[in-house]
Amino acid sequence: LIKCRRFLVAHNANLVRIGQSKAVHADVQPYLLENIADPNGFLRENGKFAEHYILCKQVLINAHIVLSTLNSVQQSTMEHVFKVDSRKRRFSCVIVDEASQCTELELLMPLVYPITKLILIGDHKQLPATIISPLAQRLLYGRSLFERLYRSFELDPSGPSPVLGLVEQYRMHED
């Protein structure tokens, strides 16, 4: 987001980040839903929660791009705008980064909203989904949907695979 910000601003993209202020990088703070809807915190501080909620809904309705973690995507404001009032707004695309690190159930969270495309980004050979329960591990719930889909397409040579490999790695050290 930080690297793409200039491009998005230059193209007048209304960008909103869902999440808790303390968990978001300082450069992203201006894009937080809470900060856009109530920049000075006046409504929240004065107990005007209904007005705050209405403003948050309006910000989401006008957003071109909504960024969220999988857990934050279930906030009531998101559910109301994109699920209950789905006639008003729908996602044209959901992109899940690090999809190989989330369980299948976690990946279902954004799929409660009406979407037309789902893009999973990850590496099935790196960190697996985190599972604490030994029973869940024995039942293979530690495998991500990303890995299951990758394996399925790998075993089915009947058509073109939608899996694309990374051509250039920008984050790794040359060594």
Side-chain angles (χ1 to χ4, degrees):
L1 168 65
I2 295 167
K3 292 179 182 178
C4 299
R5 183 177 50 202
R6 283 190 211 112
F7 174 82
L8 296 170
V9 170
H11 288 84
N12 296 318
N14 290 333
L15 182 67
V16 177
R17 170 64 160 91
I18 306 296
Q20 296 181 2
S21 179
K22 62 184 176 203
V24 175
H25 191 278
D27 289 347
V28 181
Q29 291 288 331
Y31 302 100
L32 271 175
L33 175 62
E34 302 292 325
N35 294 339
I36 295 171
D38 188 12
N40 301 317
F42 176 80
L43 296 173
R44 288 171 283 175
E45 290 172 10
N46 292 293
K48 299 183 180 282
F49 299 112
E51 291 92 337
H52 181 260
Y53 188 77
I54 290 168
L55 285 174
C56 285
K57 282 176 36 179
Q58 195 59 47
V59 169
L60 284 172
I61 288 169
N62 292 324
H64 297 117
I65 300 170
V66 178
L67 302 166
S68 174
T69 63
L70 288 173
N71 290 326
S72 294
V73 81
Q74 293 295 312
Q75 284 188 356
S76 63
T77 314
M78 287 280 291
E79 287 197 359
H80 194 265
V81 170
F82 294 103
K83 193 173 169 188
V84 176
D85 288 344
S86 63
R87 298 176 320 277
K88 292 181 183 175
R89 194 79 171 129
R90 57 182 57 227
F91 291 106
S92 58
C93 180
V94 170
I95 301 171
V96 179
D97 194 12
E98 304 296 352
S100 59
Q101 295 180 25
C102 61
T103 66
E104 290 175 298
L105 295 177
E106 288 173 312
L107 196 54
L108 293 177
M109 287 191 276
L111 299 182
V112 300
Y113 303 114
I115 64 170
T116 56
K117 293 179 214 70
L118 175 67
I119 298 173
L120 303 178
I121 300 172
D123 184 347
H124 67 287
K125 295 178 183 176
Q126 288 190 1
L127 294 172
T130 303
I131 299 295
I132 297 170
S133 164
L135 175 60
Q137 288 175 347
R138 283 194 306 275
L139 295 173
L140 297 179
Y141 286 119
R143 187 179 300 161
S144 67
L145 178 60
F146 184 92
E147 183 179 354
R148 288 184 198 272
L149 290 171
Y150 181 87
R151 299 276 181 239
S152 175
F153 289 118
E154 187 178 61
L155 297 173
D156 181 14
S158 63
S161 173
V163 177
L164 301 175
L166 182 65
V167 176
E168 191 167 341
Q169 173 60 269
Y170 291 97
R171 289 189 290 174
M172 294 189 68
H173 192 274
E174 290 180 11
D175 295 339

